[in-house]
Amino acid sequence: MHISAPADPVLSASGIAAGYGKIAVLEDVALDIGTGEAVGLVGPNGAGKTTLLNVLSGLLPRSAGEVRFEGAGLPSGAPRATGRAGIVQVVEGHRVFSKLSVRDNIELGGYEMQAAARRARLDDVLQTFPELRDRLAEKAGALSGGQRQMLCIAQGLMRAPKLIMLDEPSAGLAPILVDRVVKLVEDLSTRGVSVLFVDQLVDRVAATCDRVYLMRQGRIIGQTSAADPGFKSRLEDVFF
């Protein structure tokens, strides 16, 4: 089954190479994401998934290749420029500022906004995560693991991203909260926000996303979808 990439992608990456010092991780990586498209990225631990997200968000410089967003080239290793373009990465690990309040953590995502715009955006975000509204004054460190994950995503949504990249958002979450993450991905896509969804729950990723890129040893080795009759065998090629 042939899986077609979007004809006019909002994000297009090609020839990406990157690593850490003398350790090469990514080699000739290419992917495209359409406007409002939910795209999955799966592969075994150590495949380079987080490294690729770090390159796309500008947290890690690339040694080769090009990233274009809405037709314009993005500079390498420039997270502020990438964020201003409309790309947000929610990093793995439920990382919050534990000694700051829930409100302060969320508002940090919109630190460049004017105060009135930030307040309005906060209200919009809290409609997505109403359980955080009653805990705005509490320290973020008092939240459960699931609530901290919701807080991390809420902080990312404060920027009203055009593309949000979720790195292992279901890690350590109870099944009911995993369902919330999946529903959020679907809702964002419906609203026209593009999503790059990285997670080990491969079946959930495939069921949620329009397409799934398969990654192994620092390279994209193909793509698939839940509708692909060869879906299971393709996954076996990646993980085993």
Side-chain angles (χ1 to χ4, degrees):
M1 179 180 180
H2 177 70
I3 310 295
S4 298
D8 187 20
V10 66
L11 180 138
S12 180
S14 60
I16 300 298
Y20 305 93
K22 295 182 179 180
I23 302 174
V25 178
L26 304 179
E27 180 183 355
D28 196 26
V29 171
L31 83 167
D32 298 296
I33 302 173
T35 300
E37 186 181 29
V39 172
L41 178 64
V42 302
N45 291 334
K49 304 184 297 297
T50 294
T51 299
L52 177 56
L53 264 60
N54 289 342
V55 168
L56 297 178
S57 67
L59 291 175
L60 179 68
R62 56 188 183 268
S63 56
E66 181 182 40
V67 179
R68 301 187 68 81
F69 189 71
E70 295 187 318
L74 291 178
S76 174
R80 292 190 69 178
T82 302
R84 286 172 177 163
I87 299 175
V88 165
Q89 179 182 0
V90 178
V91 300
E92 180 184 2
H94 310 176
R95 298 176 189 176
V96 299
F97 295 95
S98 59
K99 294 184 179 180
L100 296 182
S101 70
V102 171
R103 177 189 290 274
D104 287 344
N105 268 271
I106 298 174
E107 289 191 341
L108 278 171
Y111 71 95
E112 292 184 322
M113 296 178 180
Q114 296 293 327
R118 190 164 56 244
R119 286 194 297 270
R121 185 63 190 159
L122 175 64
D123 190 61
D124 288 343
V125 169
L126 290 174
Q127 291 182 38
T128 301
F129 300 110
E131 63 267 54
L132 296 179
R133 187 181 295 275
D134 295 332
R135 308 197 68 173
L136 288 176
E138 295 183 29
K139 294 288 191 291
L143 300 180
S144 68
Q147 291 167 335
R148 287 196 297 272
Q149 181 62 78
M150 297 300 110
L151 178 57
C152 290
I153 298 174
Q155 186 184 76
L157 292 178
M158 274 293 290
R159 300 185 194 178
K162 299 172 184 177
L163 166 64
I164 188 166
M165 303 187 294
L166 303 174
D167 191 2
E168 302 287 355
S170 73
L173 297 189
I176 190 171
L177 291 176
V178 173
D179 291 341
R180 285 284 306 279
V181 171
V182 168
K183 180 66 164 56
L184 174 65
V185 170
E186 294 170 345
D187 289 347
L188 289 171
S189 181
T190 299
R191 289 185 235 163
V193 178
S194 303
V195 182
L196 182 54
F197 185 17
V198 178
D199 208 283
Q200 291 296 328
L201 298 178
V202 177
D203 288 340
R204 300 301 296 272
V205 172
T208 305
C209 295
D210 302 291
R211 295 180 294 121
V212 179
Y213 282 101
L214 309 173
M215 193 168 197
R216 186 181 181 93
Q217 295 180 337
R219 298 178 68 95
I220 299 292
I221 64 170
Q223 56 180 311
T224 185
S225 76
D228 184 353
F231 174 67
K232 293 295 185 182
S233 62
R234 287 178 182 273
L235 292 182
E236 289 175 359
D237 289 342
V238 173
F239 287 94
F240 303 104

